[in-house]
Amino acid sequence: MPVTIILYDLVGADKRRPFSPHCWKAKMALAHKRLQWRDVPTPFTGVAGIEGEGSTVPKLRDGERVVCDSFRIALYLEETYPDRPSLFNGEGGKAAARFVENWTTSELHTVFGKAAVLDIYERLAEVDREHLRRTREARFGMPIEEAARIGGEQMATIAGRLQPLRAMLAHQPFIGGGKPLFADYIVFGALQWMRVISPQQVLTEDDPVRAWFETCLDLHDGLGRRTPAAA
Amino acid sequence: MPVTIILYDLVGADKRRPFSPHCWKAKMALAHKRLQWRDVPTPFTGVAGIEGEGSTVPKLRDGERVVCDSFRIALYLEETYPDRPSLFNGEGGKAAARFVENWTTSELHTVFGKAAVLDIYERLAEVDREHLRRTREARFGMPIEEAARIGGEQMATIAGRLQPLRAMLAHQPFIGGGKPLFADYIVFGALQWMRVISPQQVLTEDDPVRAWFETCLDLHDGLGRRTPAAA
C-alpha cells in the first residue's frame, strides 16, 4: 500500500536530527496508530510556505486532508482511524490530555525553550538562525543569550517540576495507565526535544522519570531512540 | 429506599464545617453518582477507631463493604455503580486522574498543608489539637508555627503553580472536558479545603481558576457551597 501520510517535521542543519517537541508528539501518535508515514524535513524558514495552511509544524497531510498542531493531529488520527490502538482510551482521557499538555507547556517548555535556545541556534543553518533569533527575542523580550542564561538557571527547578509525574509513576507505569497514551507522548516530546538538541542533562540516572523516558524511547520499535542524543 | 452508604468525614470543633480535601473528593464523587449517603462527622482522634480498617478518612461503608482513600472510593463507586454518571469517562480518564491527583498533591497540598496548619489548629477541639501538632511536626520536621510561616511565604507561588489548569481552561471548561469528572474534584478538594478552613485568599477575583472553582461549588445542588467559607 502506498504511503499517503506526510508529516512536515522540523529540522536544523542536520536533517536526520528532528528536534521539535510538537513534531515528536505527532510522530509518536502516528506510530501508536501503526500508520505508515513519510517525514518531510522542514527548516524553520521552510515552515510558512508548506501546504498553504497555518505557519506551524507539525503539519500532517493525509490524502486530501491537512491538519496542523500536534493535539489536533492526535484528535484527527483518533477520529479517522478508530480501529487502530486508541490514543486516549475514551473521552475522559482525551479531556485530561489537555491538562497534561498545558502542564507540560507551563512547567517544562517554558524552561527548556529558554535553556536550550543557544543549543538550537548552534544546530541551525545560517538563514534559520536569523529566524530563530528574531522570533525568540520577540517572544522572550530579551537577547537569546540572556534567555539561555536565565533558562540555564531555571533548569535547577526541573526535577521539582517533574514531581507530579514522578509521584504518579509509583502508582502506574504510564500516564495512560498500564500502557502509554498520547498524554505520555506529550511529556515525552518535551524531554526528547532536549535529548536531541541539547547536551544539557535534564534527568538524573536514578530518577524514575528517567526510567519512564527510556521506556518511551524504546516504544514503537525504538522510534525515539533512533535519533541519537545530542553530543 | 434506606440510605446504606456512610461516609466518615473529618471535622474540627464545628461538626458542620468538614474541611478535609480527601473527604470533599469522596463527597463530590458520591454526589456525581447521584447516590444518597450519610456523613459521620469524625474528629482527628476519632479516625483510628472506626470500622477497624486503616487509619485515614475518608472511609466509606456501603452495606458490607468498607473502602478507604478517596481515589479508591472513586474507583469503587465507578465499578459498583456503572449505570450512574461516570467519574472517569473511560480507562484513559481513570489513568490520567492519577496524574492530576499527584499534581494536586505535589503542587497544592504541599503548600496548603503548611500554610493552613495554624488555621486548622485553631478550629480543632483541644484533644485534636494535640494530635495535629504531634503528627504535623513529625511530618514537617519543625514546629507547626514555623511550618505555617514557611507555607505562608509559599502561598505567593500558588498562582504560578495553578498555571497548567488556568491554561487548560482556555481550551475547555473542566479537566473532564465539557463536564466535570473526578479529576476536577481532586483539584476542587484542595481549594475547598482552604476555603473552609482558612481565611487566606488563594485565588484572585479575576483568575479563571476562580471562575472554575465557583462553578464547582455550585455543582450537585451546591454541595460545596453549603459549607460556608472560613471567616
Side-chain angles (χ1 to χ4, degrees):
Chain A
M1 217 174 94
V3 174
T4 61
I5 299 178
I6 290 170
L7 187 79
Y8 296 90
D9 190 14
L10 191 71
V11 294
D14 185 345
K15 290 182 166 42
R16 297 161 306 175
R17 302 182 54 73
F19 59 89
S20 157
H22 308 293
C23 293
W24 276 108
K25 287 185 254 178
K27 287 182 282 185
M28 294 295 274
L30 283 161
H32 185 99
K33 284 285 185 189
R34 314 231 167 112
L35 293 163
Q36 302 290 316
W37 78 94
R38 182 166 63 85
D39 291 316
V40 178
T42 308
F44 271 117
T45 51
V47 171
I50 46 172
E51 301 286 5
E53 300 235 355
S55 59
T56 60
V57 281
K59 191 172 292 190
L60 178 132
R61 171 173 282 284
D62 185 6
E64 295 303 303
R65 278 291 298 272
V66 177
V67 186
C68 289
D69 177 84
S70 61
F71 206 104
R72 287 177 56 213
I73 288 171
L75 294 174
Y76 167 79
L77 296 175
E78 188 78 347
E79 187 186 344
T80 309
Y81 302 99
D83 298 336
R84 305 296 185 105
S86 174
L87 286 162
F88 298 106
N89 267 359
E91 290 301 313
K94 191 180 291 181
R98 275 289 186 201
F99 179 77
V100 175
E101 179 190 51
N102 284 285
W103 174 75
T104 304
T105 304
S106 302
E107 295 292 345
L108 304 182
H109 285 224
T110 49
V111 177
F112 295 164
K114 284 194 172 82
V117 68
L118 289 182
D119 297 322
I120 299 170
Y121 186 83
E122 290 165 9
R123 287 163 178 79
L124 298 182
E126 195 63 41
V127 59
D128 295 313
R129 287 184 179 182
E130 288 165 30
H131 173 90
L132 186 84
R133 179 179 289 279
R134 189 177 67 253
T135 55
R136 295 316 184 265
E137 295 194 343
R139 181 187 300 174
F140 301 142
M142 63 185 80
I144 55 174
E145 288 77 8
E146 176 66 2
R149 192 189 61 73
I150 292 171
E153 288 177 6
Q154 291 176 335
M155 284 292 283
T157 67
I158 287 292
R161 288 166 183 263
L162 285 166
Q163 179 55 23
L165 178 57
R166 189 176 300 113
M168 186 215 73
L169 290 170
H171 286 281
Q172 59 193 31
F174 297 99
I175 304 173
K179 294 180 181 176
L181 292 176
F182 188 64
D184 291 274
Y185 305 148
I186 290 169
V187 189
F188 170 81
L191 295 170
Q192 173 77 335
W193 176 27
M194 287 299 282
R195 175 180 169 274
V196 171
I197 207 69
S198 173
Q200 298 175 63
Q201 292 303 305
V202 176
L203 303 167
T204 59
E205 288 288 343
D206 61 347
D207 190 334
V209 176
R210 171 72 168 258
W212 164 87
F213 179 60
E214 295 288 333
T215 301
C216 289
L217 283 170
D218 288 331
L219 292 171
H220 313 311
D221 301 319
L223 173 63
R225 202 181 290 285
R226 283 204 295 275
T227 301
Chain B
M1 217 175 94
V3 174
T4 62
I5 299 178
I6 290 170
L7 187 79
Y8 295 91
D9 190 13
L10 191 71
V11 295
D14 185 345
K15 290 184 167 39
R16 297 161 306 175
R17 302 182 53 72
F19 59 88
S20 158
H22 308 294
C23 293
W24 276 108
K25 287 185 254 179
K27 287 180 283 186
M28 293 295 274
L30 283 160
H32 185 99
K33 283 286 186 189
R34 315 230 168 114
L35 293 163
Q36 302 290 315
W37 78 95
R38 181 166 64 85
D39 291 316
V40 178
T42 308
F44 272 117
T45 50
V47 172
I50 45 173
E51 300 284 4
E53 302 233 354
S55 59
T56 59
V57 282
K59 191 172 290 190
L60 177 132
R61 172 174 281 283
D62 184 7
E64 295 303 304
R65 279 291 299 274
V66 176
V67 186
C68 288
D69 177 85
S70 62
F71 206 104
R72 287 177 55 212
I73 288 170
L75 294 174
Y76 166 79
L77 296 176
E78 189 77 348
E79 186 185 343
T80 309
Y81 301 98
D83 298 336
R84 305 297 185 104
S86 174
L87 286 161
F88 298 106
N89 267 359
E91 290 302 312
K94 192 180 288 181
R98 275 289 186 201
F99 178 78
V100 175
E101 180 190 50
N102 284 284
W103 174 76
T104 304
T105 304
S106 301
E107 296 291 344
L108 304 182
H109 285 225
T110 49
V111 176
F112 294 164
K114 283 194 173 81
V117 68
L118 289 183
D119 297 322
I120 298 171
Y121 186 86
E122 289 165 9
R123 287 163 177 80
L124 298 182
E126 195 63 42
V127 59
D128 295 311
R129 288 185 177 182
E130 288 166 30
H131 172 91
L132 186 85
R133 180 179 288 280
R134 189 176 68 253
T135 55
R136 295 315 185 265
E137 295 193 344
R139 180 187 301 173
F140 300 142
M142 64 185 79
I144 54 174
E145 289 77 8
E146 175 67 1
R149 192 191 60 75
I150 292 171
E153 287 177 8
Q154 291 175 335
M155 285 291 283
T157 67
I158 288 291
R161 289 166 182 262
L162 285 167
Q163 180 56 24
L165 178 57
R166 189 176 300 114
M168 186 214 72
L169 291 170
H171 287 281
Q172 58 193 33
F174 297 101
I175 304 174
K179 293 180 182 177
L181 293 176
F182 189 63
D184 290 275
Y185 305 148
I186 291 170
V187 188
F188 170 80
L191 295 171
Q192 173 76 334
W193 176 26
M194 286 299 281
R195 176 180 168 276
V196 171
I197 208 67
S198 171
Q200 297 175 64
Q201 291 304 304
V202 177
L203 302 168
T204 58
E205 288 288 340
D206 60 347
D207 191 335
V209 176
R210 171 71 168 259
W212 165 87
F213 180 61
E214 295 288 332
T215 302
C216 289
L217 283 170
D218 289 330
L219 292 171
H220 313 311
D221 301 319
L223 172 63
R225 201 182 290 284
R226 283 205 294 276
T227 301

